[in-house]
Each structure stands twice: as structure tokens, then as C-alpha cells.
Amino acid sequence: MPSAIFDLGMGIMSNKQKEEEEEEEEIEVEEEMELLQVDVGDIIKVKQILDETVAGTIMSEDLSAHGEAVQIQGEHTSDNVKLFLMALACGFAAVAQFALASDFPKNRLWLGVCCASYFCISGIIQLIMTFIDKDCIMMTKPLTDTEAIKLVKKGGNKEMDKYGIRVRSVFPRFSEFYTVILEFQGKAPPSEFVTETWSVGQFFDVDGLFDEEGMTIEVEKLY
């Protein structure tokens, strides 16, 4: 009888220890999950967070629908062109400011050329962003790896070896709805596309805490 009571007591103690260990593990997991907090009234910041999550999901996850990892490479040609134009414009501005302005009006002709060049290049960059980039947040290159092509074709993506993906996002001012559009880059219209719209309230709570994991899961469903 005493041994049975002793065994019962040890069992209760072991159960309590297991419960305490589980609680400690849950607390550690909660501490590791640091949720990003933003001001939900700042529409620009909210869109930036959502766009970065969409881009990160597409670049880091597989597109095969079979649990196989496929390496997706970003297409940065347009970004590189804009960076070059920005650097060129800054070069003209630096020459005008530090090399020619001190001898004004002697060098006013070259000063005018530098200023005009700066504003023209800035205008070209603005035109590219307005009429070419539009609402595009990222582009990918066509797949070149043979195994990757086989995997994505198994998952239903038949033309990712021919075309990259153009990722667009729309978040109108004073609206709670955020839309993501995936379409083939470089394919003659009409190009196939998929689109999905969510309420930002699905991913942000009243305190502005962002559910990145939930957003990632929703984006993965698109492809």
C-alpha cells in the first residue's frame, strides 16, 4: 500500500514537471516570435511591409506544389538602369555644386548644362517609374535549371522556363484592401495572371502587430 501511494505521488510529480516544462517551452517560443508592429494609419509603411513579405515569400519558397525547393532568381535589370541614371544625375549635380558654382557667372553655360542634365535625367527616372514599373514590386527570371523546370511543370506552371514572373500590388489610398497580381513578364498580351485581394485587417491587429506567417501562407496559395 505505501509503495502504491509512493508511485502515485511520483506520477503526479512527473506530470507536474512535464506541464511546467511544456509551459516553459511555450513561453520560449512566444519570446522568439517577435511580431513586427507598425502604425496602421501609415498607409505607405503598411504597403511596404506587405510588399516586402510578398517578395520574400516568392523568392524563398518553392513553386512546385510538391514540397521541392526551386531556386527563383530576381530580375534586376530595370533597377540597375534606374540606379545608373540616379548616379549620373548626382554626378551632374555634384559638378555643378562643387566645381562650377564657385566661378559663377564665368561658368554659367556649363552650370546650366549640368542643371538641365540633372533635371532631364530625373524626369526620365520618373517616367520609367510611372509608365513602365507602375505597380510592379519585383520581377523574376525564367527558370534555367532542368530539374527545377520539371518540378514546376508538375505543379502546373507550364511556362516558367520561358517567362519570368511580374509581381504587382495595389493598395488604394483610404482603402483597407490589398491586392497581389502575378503575371508572366514579357509575354504578349493577353497574359495569364492570378490575383487575390485581402483586407489588411486579416494580417494586422488593432495594435498594429503584423502576422507575417499568415500573410506568407496566403501568398503561397497563389501559385
Side-chain angles (χ1 to χ4, degrees), residues 12-157:
I12 294 173
M13 290 178 63
S14 62
N15 290 334
K16 287 184 178 179
Q17 288 178 350
K18 288 181 180 179
E19 291 177 357
E20 291 176 356
E21 289 176 358
E22 290 177 356
E23 290 178 358
E24 290 177 358
E25 289 178 358
E26 290 178 357
I27 293 173
E28 289 178 359
V29 171
E30 291 177 356
E31 289 177 352
E32 290 177 357
M33 294 180 59
E34 295 182 1
L35 297 179
L36 180 64
Q37 187 173 20
V38 298
D39 179 9
V40 291
D42 187 348
I43 297 178
I44 296 176
K45 184 63 176 179
V46 171
K47 186 177 187 300
Q48 178 187 350
I49 297 298
L50 294 172
D51 287 348
E52 290 177 352
T53 303
V54 171
T57 302
I58 292 177
M59 294 298 293
S60 62
E61 298 296 331
D62 69 274
L63 300 182
S64 66
H66 293 287
E68 299 285 350
V70 174
Q71 183 64 37
I72 304 296
Q73 296 182 346
E75 173 59 71
H76 303 295
T77 303
S78 177
D79 294 333
N80 292 336
V81 170
K82 287 184 288 185
L83 287 173
F84 172 77
L85 292 175
M86 290 176 188
L88 186 61
C90 290
F92 279 111
V95 171
Q97 176 68 28
F98 301 108
L100 301 176
S102 59
D103 292 333
F104 184 83
K106 182 180 178 180
N107 293 327
R108 60 184 178 182
L109 177 61
W110 290 110
L111 188 62
V113 170
C114 288
C115 292
S117 299
Y118 172 81
F119 285 109
C120 287
I121 296 173
S122 299
I124 292 172
I125 295 173
Q126 188 62 44
L127 290 174
I128 292 174
M129 296 175 64
T130 304
F131 296 104
I132 298 179
D133 291 348
K134 296 181 180 178
D135 52 8
C136 178
I137 60 175
M138 69 169 293
M139 291 183 289
T140 68
K141 294 180 180 180
L143 293 176
T144 56
D145 184 78
T146 305
E147 292 300 321
I149 293 172
K150 290 180 180 179
L151 287 173
V152 297
K153 286 188 175 182
K154 285 182 181 179
N157 298 297

